[in-house]
Amino acid sequence: MMRDENEMLRLAFEACPAGMLLVDGAGRIELVNGECERMFGYGPGDLAGKCVESLMPASLRRAHRGHRAGFAAAPAKRQMGTGRDLVARRRDGSEFFIEVGLTPIDSAMGPKVVAFVIDVSARRDSEYALRRALGELEMANENLARFAYVASHDIQEPLRKISAFADILTAAMAKDDRNEALYAADVMASSALHARRLVADLLAYARAANQSHSVEPISIKAALARALDALSLTVAETKAEIAWTGDDFPVEADRLQLHQLLQNILSNALKYHKPNLPPQVSIHLEPGDSESRLTIADRGIGFASADAETIFEPFRRLHGRGDYPGTGIGLAICKTVAQRHGWRLTATSMPTVGSAFAIDFPAAADAGRGAEL
């Protein structure tokens, strides 16, 4: 009869879709089903006689012996791992998350515990991904609200000017004041052009943030050459000095967005030069096995180190529009492009000394050196 009961217990263990263990009062595994052996990476019969703590990371074993003693003193059905991280260890040393149900039983051989074990790693990964996505969504909503406020404020400025100077133009025409009418018309045209640029930059920022992109291996040196070619007129007019150092490396990027990022950073380096001095820009390429770096540095007017993060915010300007034209959205586009590609874009600077923008690229998985642009 006892043999029949043991056989029925063994068959019940094997039929269970969850991992099952029968553990004696000393913490030794007496019976284990195939699902549990598969879960922990053991072969048939390998777990029999082992201490149950062998299925846990070494750092948790001593504490678990105390928990086991406490459970033996007051045995009761118990669910473990719900709402917190319960970690198990496979035979190969890898760790994963589990939930465990404990059921004490009395037998002729003394008290024992039946443990039900479920691998919840996939569920935990999904929960973590969901929490991260919700966090990113919350941040995106905050950024969108801030962006909408600043954008509406900036776009209203030229519109207010146009409205005000339209009245001035009307009054000037009524009293036949040609000079005042021409002045008002010039201000209105300038404001309209500024509004047009704002709208164009807003669309460029939206595209950088939302437009789907096609990634391919691209030579960073060729991409830089293309961006400088687009800025060749500015380089010639300012008599800029461009210096190159380092070796080429490939990056996995969307061609148009990489071009936009490089052109914006180079344009900034050319724009913010010291008065009456030509821009001096140095480009350094530093290939690496796991990560490569591009640094674009200038000897321009620089900015305070406290502004190293705020310069990437939309419409953030450190100087008056009269001194340095622009809408203050170029670097925000660069930051957005870098984040979408998984690159790290940072800036360092010192007033009157110059600025340096560094982009760290993860190594291109399948690209060889010298990829064509």
Side-chain angles (χ1 to χ4, degrees):
M1 187 65 180
M2 182 66 71
R3 180 178 298 177
D4 291 340
E5 290 178 354
N6 288 339
E7 181 63 16
M8 288 180 63
L9 181 61
R10 188 188 67 79
L11 290 173
F13 262 54
E14 277 306 320
C16 183
M20 287 189 68
L21 297 164
L22 180 65
V23 182
D24 67 15
R28 297 287 172 182
I29 299 172
E30 290 189 350
L31 187 62
V32 58
N33 69 352
E35 174 59 23
C36 192
E37 290 170 334
R38 183 203 61 76
M39 188 186 305
F40 285 89
Y42 286 87
D46 289 344
L47 282 173
K50 288 185 177 293
C51 184
V52 72
E53 277 81 26
S54 64
L55 302 180
M56 301 175 185
S59 60
L60 303 178
R61 292 173 186 174
R62 176 176 294 181
H64 184 264
R65 293 188 186 99
H67 296 324
R68 185 157 49 80
F71 180 81
K77 289 184 179 180
R78 187 177 304 175
Q79 189 75 17
M80 301 174 64
T82 303
R84 63 189 180 92
D85 293 338
L86 193 62
V87 183
R89 181 181 183 275
R90 298 186 181 93
R91 187 175 196 169
D92 62 7
S94 61
E95 297 179 358
F96 64 108
F97 294 116
I98 60 171
E99 286 184 1
V100 179
L102 301 179
T103 302
I105 59 174
D106 290 322
S107 72
M109 304 297 292
K112 300 182 188 298
V113 177
V114 175
F116 297 83
V117 185
I118 300 174
D119 183 348
V120 295
S121 299
R123 191 186 76 196
R124 290 296 177 99
D125 290 344
S126 298
E127 290 172 352
Y128 173 76
L130 180 60
R131 287 197 300 269
R132 184 176 61 183
L134 289 174
E136 291 174 354
L137 180 61
E138 184 177 347
M139 183 178 295
N141 285 336
E142 291 176 1
N143 290 339
L144 181 61
R146 183 166 60 248
F147 176 80
Y149 172 78
V150 176
S152 63
H153 178 272
D154 276 46
I155 203 75
Q156 284 178 34
E157 178 193 348
L159 295 179
R160 278 195 298 265
K161 268 191 175 180
I162 291 171
S163 177
F165 278 87
D167 293 339
I168 294 173
L169 178 61
T170 302
M173 292 177 66
K175 61 185 181 181
D176 200 23
D177 189 336
R178 186 173 184 276
N179 289 333
E180 188 170 354
L182 287 174
Y183 171 68
D186 285 343
V187 172
M188 290 171 65
S190 175
S191 297
L193 182 60
H194 178 54
R196 182 179 178 182
R197 287 172 178 162
L198 269 172
V199 171
D201 283 349
L202 282 169
L203 291 173
Y205 181 80
R207 283 194 297 268
N210 301 309
Q211 194 175 48
S212 60
H213 59 280
S214 176
V215 175
E216 58 184 301
I218 301 175
S219 157
I220 192 63
K221 197 166 188 177
L224 283 161
R226 181 185 174 196
L228 283 170
D229 184 63
L231 296 167
S232 58
L233 184 60
T234 303
V235 171
E237 288 176 345
T238 59
K239 299 179 180 179
E241 301 171 11
I242 312 291
W244 294 69
T245 55
D247 298 320
D248 192 17
F249 57 84
V251 297
E252 295 284 342
D254 177 273
R255 191 179 301 273
L256 293 178
Q257 291 191 11
L258 175 62
H259 174 74
Q260 189 173 35
L261 180 150
L262 296 177
Q263 184 172 325
N264 285 358
I265 293 178
L266 288 166
S267 178
N268 261 35
L270 295 170
K271 181 195 298 186
Y272 294 103
H273 62 89
K274 294 171 184 173
N276 303 319
L277 288 175
Q280 293 178 293
V281 181
S282 61
I283 300 170
H284 180 62
L285 309 176
E286 190 177 342
D289 293 333
S290 60
E291 190 173 72
S292 298
R293 168 172 283 201
L294 163 66
T295 305
I296 299 174
D298 63 65
R299 297 183 186 177
I301 60 174
F303 55 84
S305 58
D307 293 317
E309 288 295 330
T310 58
I311 59 169
F312 294 111
E313 296 177 5
F315 304 106
R316 176 67 66 147
R317 296 179 54 84
L318 303 181
H319 310 281
R321 191 174 292 110
D323 299 323
Y324 297 94
T327 59
I329 205 168
L331 290 179
I333 292 174
C334 294
K335 193 71 168 183
T336 299
V337 170
Q339 289 175 337
R340 289 198 70 191
H341 283 78
W343 306 333
R344 187 168 61 252
L345 171 61
T346 54
T348 55
S349 186
M350 187 178 295
T352 74
V353 175
S355 306
F357 289 82
I359 312 169
D360 295 307
F361 304 91
D366 302 312
R369 292 189 185 278
E372 295 299 324
L373 184 70

